[in-house]
């Protein structure tokens, strides 16, 4: 069952930061495909939402970028900055606490077990 | 799906008129080609590209909006990166150059004749030097335009910062140094202000050139 994208909009930055922490550096299309693979297609991260989020994280200094020429075209890779490496820890902690509270509020725990 | 050069050219022409900046164009083009590369059971058709643009990116209008937001953020990024680059001038390997300039300032301070003419000559050179970021920026901008390159998303930020030194350098001149200056100060004070401006402008100009070359010149000179 596909999950409505509105549900994960608030955690989009955390998802991106976490993926980059696990994978080192990634380019835009790779991120969308990784999300699709991990969630088995339940979550579809649209490029219209991904790129503004990446640019915002870059502007906040949490991401750095590097370009490489691949198959005669320029590919822009995103990677965590030093500040981003610190931020990902607190963002994940924040997300965990939010999920715990959500489980309590929506009584989801029995289903999750 | 493996694309031929003709098909790639068709895609470049299809998306070519929409993104204003090189970075957005590169990212869009790479995304479309990566996406098409994963489609195995479909034959190439330009409608496929239109479908990717509309479904994944929300259409050309949305791309233009995203690009405009990115441009605003890029302006702030240039300011932040320039400040960072200026700090780097106080760390090795750049510190050597900074120390040489500082030593030159100390020598001028200790051995200057006490004539205000010397101060005006040094300050005049600072004011002339304050134009170099702007000349460098517009020179490169015209060069890239001639080569048919799109502007970089960071161009606006660099254009803005290329004028900053001019704005900063003129105020102390009319406050402390000019014959009809607002404040009449002693020779040593005027010399300290002048040498401070000389030192600051050397840091600023070197930082600007380094940052510009790293971010824009390399990107657009491909």
């Amino acid at each position: 069952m596909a999950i409505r994208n509105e549900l994960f909009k608030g955690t989009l930055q955390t998802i991106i930061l976490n993926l980059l922490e696990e994978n080192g550096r990634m380019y835009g299309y790779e991120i969308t495909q990784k999300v699709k693979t991990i969630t088995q297609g339940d979550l579809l991260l649209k490029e219209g939402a991904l790129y503004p989020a990446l640019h915002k994280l870059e502007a906040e200094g949490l991401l750095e970028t590097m370009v490489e020429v691949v198959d005669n075209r320029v590919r822009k890779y995103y990677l965590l900055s030093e500040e981003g490496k610190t931020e990902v820890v607190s963002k994940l902690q924040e997300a965990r606490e939010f999920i715990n509270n959500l489980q309590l509020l929506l009584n989801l725990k029995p289903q999750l077990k | 799906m493996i694309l031929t050069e003709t098909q790639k050219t068709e895609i470049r022409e299809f998306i070519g008129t929409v993104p204003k900046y090189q970075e957005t164009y590169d990212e869009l083009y790479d995304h479309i080609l990566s996406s098409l590369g994963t489609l195995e059971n479909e034959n190439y058709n330009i409608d496929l590209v239109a479908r990717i643009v509309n479904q994944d990116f929300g259409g050309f209008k949305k791309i233009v909006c995203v690009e405009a937001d990115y441009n605003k953020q890029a302006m702030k990024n240039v300011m932040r990166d320039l400040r960072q680059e200026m700090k780097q001038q106080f760390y090795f390997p750049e510190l050597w150059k900074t120390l040489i300039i500082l030593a030159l300032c100390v020598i001028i301070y200790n051995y200057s004749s006490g004539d205000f003419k010397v101060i005006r000559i040094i300050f005049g050179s600072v004011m002339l030097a304050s134009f170099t970021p702007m000349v460098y920026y517009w020179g490169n901008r015209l060069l890239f335009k001639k080569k048919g390159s799109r502007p970089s998303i960071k161009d606006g930020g660099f254009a803005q910062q290329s004028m900053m030194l001019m704005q900063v350098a003129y105020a102390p001149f009319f406050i402390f140094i000019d014959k009809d200056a607002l404040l009449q100060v002693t020779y040593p004070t005027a010399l300290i202000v002048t040498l401070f401006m000389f030192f600051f402008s050397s840091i600023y100009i070197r930082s600007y050139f380094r940052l510009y070359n790293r971010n824009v010149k390399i990107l657009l000179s491909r």
Side-chain angles (χ1 to χ4, degrees), chain A residues 57-76:
Chain A
L57 288 167
E58 189 190 350
E60 287 169 1
L62 300 179
L63 298 186
E64 286 171 3
T65 57
M66 56 188 288
V67 288
E68 254 178 39
V69 177
V70 179
D71 295 334
N72 271 336
R73 62 182 190 265
V74 176
R75 178 164 288 169
K76 186 175 179 182

Side-chain angles (χ1 to χ4, degrees), chain B residues 198-210:
Chain B
F198 176 72
F199 183 75
F200 176 77
S201 59
S202 83
I203 298 274
Y204 191 88
I205 292 167
R206 279 190 292 139
S207 305
Y208 183 90
F209 285 0
R210 275 172 65 89

Side-chain angles (χ1 to χ4, degrees), chain A residues 61-94:
Chain A
L62 300 179
L63 298 186
E64 286 171 3
T65 57
M66 56 188 288
V67 288
E68 254 178 39
V69 177
V70 179
D71 295 334
N72 271 336
R73 62 182 190 265
V74 176
R75 178 164 288 169
K76 186 175 179 182
Y77 285 96
Y78 294 88
L79 57 154
L80 291 180
S81 65
E82 284 307 314
E83 203 182 324
K85 284 173 190 167
T86 319
E87 185 67 14
V88 70
V89 179
S90 63
K91 284 257 187 201
L92 279 175
Q93 183 57 31
E94 212 174 274

Side-chain angles (χ1 to χ4, degrees), chain A:
Chain A
M1 185 184 74
I3 296 167
R4 288 175 70 87
N5 286 358
E6 285 81 4
L7 286 176
F8 81 107
K9 262 187 184 170
T11 49
L12 185 54
Q13 290 197 351
T14 313
I15 293 167
I16 293 170
L17 291 172
N18 191 48
L19 282 174
L20 290 172
E21 193 200 27
E22 287 173 355
N23 297 280
R25 62 170 205 179
M26 296 175 92
Y27 55 97
Y29 182 75
E30 193 181 9
I31 295 174
T32 62
Q33 293 310 295
K34 195 80 181 173
V35 169
K36 196 176 169 185
T37 309
I38 292 171
T39 64
Q40 296 174 330
D42 272 350
L43 286 185
L44 295 175
L45 181 50
K46 290 288 180 187
E47 288 72 6
L50 171 71
Y51 287 109
L54 285 170
H55 299 155
K56 193 166 184 284
L57 288 167
E58 189 190 350
E60 287 169 1
L62 300 179
L63 298 186
E64 286 171 3
T65 57
M66 56 188 288
V67 288
E68 254 178 39
V69 177
V70 179
D71 295 334
N72 271 336
R73 62 182 190 265
V74 176
R75 178 164 288 169
K76 186 175 179 182
Y77 285 96
Y78 294 88
L79 57 154
L80 291 180
S81 65
E82 284 307 314
E83 203 182 324
K85 284 173 190 167
T86 319
E87 185 67 14
V88 70
V89 179
S90 63
K91 284 257 187 201
L92 279 175
Q93 183 57 31
E94 212 174 274
R96 269 187 216 105
E97 283 169 15
F98 178 71
I99 291 163
N100 283 340
N101 286 325
L102 209 59
Q103 284 173 341
L104 291 170
L105 282 167
L106 303 178
N107 200 19
L108 294 171
K109 269 187 177 170
Q111 279 183 310
L112 288 172
K113 282 174 187 172

